């Protein structure tokens, strides 16, 4: 009897997912015409395949970071790598479903990265438990704000990003740099700027080439994942320098 009930439930779930996989959930306000420009594959489990595929580099960067951290005790950087991995999962989920909860996951991961940068700079000597507590607060507050001000999510991100940049600039000025770290920062900045331009062109429907499956939002994913790796490299360099000194 139990096995029959489980099988029946599994069949019902499979039927729902095969026909209208996400229709039972609240959609994002931009859905379906005002999100990024890749066409939606309605009725499919993955609505935007290219955006999902180009979300994978976020997680790949995280796994690469973990690989580089083998044999080290840089727990903060290991934690950052896991956030990167989650970012890839969250972005893929958003572009598969376009349900409201997926935005909280996606932007929550972005805010988690920014919160990590802020906490790592402002609280360099904190033990890991206190660091995680402060990181959690700084990540959850802006994520909550986008749930309250749903139409202002881009503005909330822009403000938080600017705050992170200003704090990072102070770190850059207060710590000795060399050509390598400057290269990490410059290339990271270039990736973000060009990626942001691709994001804007996509939203403006100026970088949407369906015949080639080429979209500005997908380039945004790839370029920002490269920028994230540069951020990791920058802080890894300074962790190693601090360990030596």
């Amino acid at each position: 009897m139990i096995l029959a009930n489980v099988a029946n439930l599994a069949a019902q779930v499979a039927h729902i997912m095969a026909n209208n996989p996400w229709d039972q959930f609240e959609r994002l306000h931009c859905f379906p015409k005002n999100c990024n420009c890749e066409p939606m594959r309605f009725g499919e489990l993955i609505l935007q395949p290219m955006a999902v595929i180009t979300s994978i580099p976020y997680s790949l960067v995280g796994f690469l970071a973990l690989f580089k951290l083998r044999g080290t005790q840089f727990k903060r950087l290991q934690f950052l790598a896991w956030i990167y991995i989650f970012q890839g999962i969250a972005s893929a989920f958003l572009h598969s479903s376009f349900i409201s909860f997926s935005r909280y996951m996606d932007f929550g991961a972005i805010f988690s990265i920014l919160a990590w940068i802020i906490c790592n700079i402002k609280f360099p000597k904190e033990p890991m438990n206190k660091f995680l507590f402060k990181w959690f607060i700084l990540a959850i507050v802006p994520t909550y704000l986008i749930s309250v001000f749903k139409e202002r999510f881009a503005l909330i991100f822009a403000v938080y990003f600017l705050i992170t940049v200003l704090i990072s600039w102070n770190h850059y000025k207060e710590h000795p740099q060399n050509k390598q770290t400057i290269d990490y920062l410059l290339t990271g900045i270039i990736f973000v700027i060009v990626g942001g331009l691709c994001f804007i062109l996509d939203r403006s429907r100026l970088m949407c080439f369906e015949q080639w499956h080429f979209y500005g939002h997908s380039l945004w994913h790839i370029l920002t994942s490269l920028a994230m790796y540069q951020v990791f490299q920058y802080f890894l360099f300074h962790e190693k320098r601090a360990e030596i000194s």
Side-chain angles (χ1 to χ4, degrees):
M1 178 65 71
I2 295 177
L3 290 176
N5 289 335
V6 171
N8 183 51
L9 178 61
Q12 292 178 15
V13 171
H15 176 75
I16 291 172
M17 297 304 287
N19 291 276
N20 296 291
W22 305 112
D23 286 349
Q24 64 268 37
F25 301 102
E26 179 189 359
R27 299 282 191 172
L28 293 175
H29 290 286
C30 67
F31 183 85
K33 295 183 178 180
N34 296 318
C35 301
N36 51 298
C37 69
E38 182 180 351
M40 305 280 184
R41 294 160 54 100
F42 294 108
E44 299 291 335
L45 182 63
I46 297 176
L47 292 177
Q48 290 186 327
M50 285 305 299
V52 170
I53 290 170
T54 56
S55 296
I56 295 173
Y58 292 129
S59 294
L60 291 179
V61 165
F63 284 117
L64 179 58
L66 286 177
F67 180 80
K68 291 201 69 171
L69 291 169
R70 290 181 308 164
T72 72
Q73 297 299 316
F74 302 143
K75 293 182 179 180
R76 291 189 180 193
L77 285 170
Q78 292 171 357
F79 182 59
L80 177 63
W82 283 108
I83 297 174
Y84 285 175
I85 293 169
F86 177 72
Q87 175 70 75
I89 296 170
S91 179
F93 178 47
L94 184 150
H95 290 286
S96 294
S97 66
F98 283 93
I99 64 174
S100 292
F101 181 71
S102 66
R103 173 167 288 167
Y104 306 141
M105 285 182 61
D106 187 47
F107 271 85
I110 295 172
F111 292 138
S112 293
I113 295 170
L114 300 180
W116 184 95
I117 294 172
I118 293 171
C119 287
N120 196 58
I121 292 172
K122 300 299 289 184
F123 313 113
K125 302 298 183 181
E126 291 279 17
M128 195 63 184
N129 58 339
K130 292 184 178 180
F131 170 83
L132 289 175
F133 176 76
K134 292 176 180 179
W135 163 83
F136 178 78
I137 297 299
L138 290 177
I140 202 67
V141 168
T143 306
Y144 173 74
L145 288 178
I146 68 170
S147 72
V148 176
F149 305 101
K150 295 182 179 180
E151 299 299 323
R152 297 288 182 266
F153 69 93
L155 177 62
I156 294 169
F157 163 74
V159 171
Y160 206 54
F161 181 78
L162 180 60
I163 292 171
T164 307
V165 169
L166 292 175
I167 291 174
S168 300
W169 176 245
N170 285 333
H171 181 274
Y172 173 80
K173 291 192 300 182
E174 293 172 0
H175 291 77
Q177 308 293 335
N178 62 15
K179 183 180 182 302
Q180 193 172 29
T181 57
I182 293 172
D183 286 346
Y184 291 149
L185 290 178
L186 284 179
T187 52
I189 290 169
I190 291 171
F191 287 143
V192 170
I193 292 174
V194 177
L197 179 62
C198 293
F199 182 96
I200 293 170
L201 290 174
D202 183 285
R203 291 300 295 266
S204 304
R205 301 303 189 263
L206 297 175
M207 193 178 283
C208 302
F209 305 104
E210 185 176 353
Q211 64 271 31
W212 301 313
H213 302 289
F214 182 80
Y215 310 103
H217 196 88
S218 293
L219 283 177
W220 157 259
H221 287 170
I222 295 170
L223 292 169
T224 50
S225 67
L226 293 173
M228 285 161 49
Y229 188 66
Q230 297 303 95
V231 170
F232 165 77
Q233 292 274 66
Y234 174 82
F235 284 107
L236 177 60
F237 177 91
H238 284 286
E239 286 288 343
K240 288 181 175 178
R241 172 178 280 177
E243 185 179 53
I244 293 172
S245 59

